[in-house]
Amino acid sequence: METPTTVETNDRGEDPDSLARPRGEVTVDEIAQLCRPEIYAMKPYSSARTESGPGVHVLLDANENPYPPYPSTADVAGFNRYPDPQPAVLLDGFADLYSVARESLFLSRGADEAIDLMVRAFCAAGADGILITPPTFVMYETAAEIQGAAVRRVPLRGADFQLDLPAILAALAGDPSIKIVFLCSPNNPTSNLMHRNDVLRLCAQSFGRALVVVDELYVDYSRTPSIAAELGDHPNLVVLRSMSKEYSLAGERIGVTIAHPEVVRILLRIMAPYSLTASSVRAAAAVLSAEGLAHGRANIDRVLAERDRVALMLKRSPLVLEIFPSDANFLLVRTSDASAICRHLEQAGIRIRDRSGLVDGAVRISIGVPEENDAMLTALADYASRLR
Ligand SMILES: *Cc1c(COP(=O)(O)O)cnc(C)c1O
């Protein structure tokens, strides 16, 4: 490797291209100071189930109905009891699956709830804000609006939908009210991974200044390892995962935040007392079993094979102008007329997503089972032939 004789530094004397954090020792304060002070000072609500010890077997503390619900079968056993807020079976399962310590995990009702909790914990209404990189997932902005937090936008680069790192760093330097940078990788709707070194450089440069939340809901479709492996070097990195998109549990609402234990403790303070349902915990535990994970991984492979087939077929359509390279389980496709195509498919009973408001002429097509994809391709061909 080439060794530069002079290293350019910023006004704090730090090398702006360095991947390393500017300071060595991480203190809890460097996370805590970003949190809303009133949240940090607050005594968290302690629910009945959080307090019960291991030897307890008669539960007369939470005003539940002691009888099981209809139809009293094994399927509903335990549904009359409040669930464990952060069940050990899932914490252990995710610690294994993601190769992280249990103390770095926080479970929520989908990643959507984690996004909301992050904004509420770290952004004071009317004072603080978030930074987003459009075109991206809309929930970050929605959560900020609900909280009364400002939204600073630094668009992805037009040519390749990658981060405009100098512009993000400049925005952070010029606006101390930005507490969270939300990145999405692979990004919804553009379907590409962000360059890992850009994300790490941003973490390093914003350490002690802002949290960098990386939404990785599709990362298993990208065949690249999660950036969560870098958490040890970058304590201001927060990674969002979920069982919705990768492990077929969108209906059960299981989200996982991987973060520095201090971030996890802050989220635990403000979470709803019982955010995960008994049935969702059961479903997630089954998927996290060895057979469950093998089943899930096989389905990810099937979806990826279909994605490549669908992309090839779409390329032949006269309605398709461009298919963006995908690291996810959907395709962003630039078309001649997004709204007309969506309308035609809807009439054929097929729903895709018009994303032309975010990317010119674009529609987002999720990969279904082969029969569903064929139905979509047929309806598209039908529409193209009518236009001729
Ligand atoms: C679907 C989606 C979410 C929400 O996921 P849940 O875990 O189902 O709440 C979050 N981020 C991105 C980028 C998504 O596409």
Side-chain angles (χ1 to χ4, degrees), residues 110-112 137 140 184 188 215 217-218 242 244-245 253:
D112 281 339
F137 189 54
Y140 318 134
C184 191
N188 181 2
D215 180 332
L217 258 74
Y218 301 95
S242 165
S244 295
K245 307 302 199 333
R253 319 298 306 122

Side-chain angles (χ1 to χ4, degrees), residues 86-100:
Q86 296 281 298
V89 60
L90 298 193
L91 290 173
D92 288 341
F94 285 118
D96 280 353
L97 180 63
Y98 298 146
S99 305
V100 292

Side-chain angles (χ1 to χ4, degrees), residues 49 75 77-79 81-94 106-110 113 243 247 249-256 271 273-289 292:
R49 278 310 106 86
D75 284 351
F79 281 13
R81 295 294 176 190
Y82 281 109
D84 184 341
Q86 296 281 298
V89 60
L90 298 193
L91 290 173
D92 288 341
F94 285 118
F106 171 76
L107 308 174
S108 60
R109 189 187 293 127
E113 187 185 32
M243 302 199 91
Y247 282 95
L249 277 183
E252 290 291 358
R253 319 298 306 122
I254 296 283
V256 188
M271 70 178 286
Y274 306 106
S275 148
L276 306 185
T277 66
S279 66
S280 65
V281 172
R282 200 173 289 175
V287 173
L288 287 170
S289 68

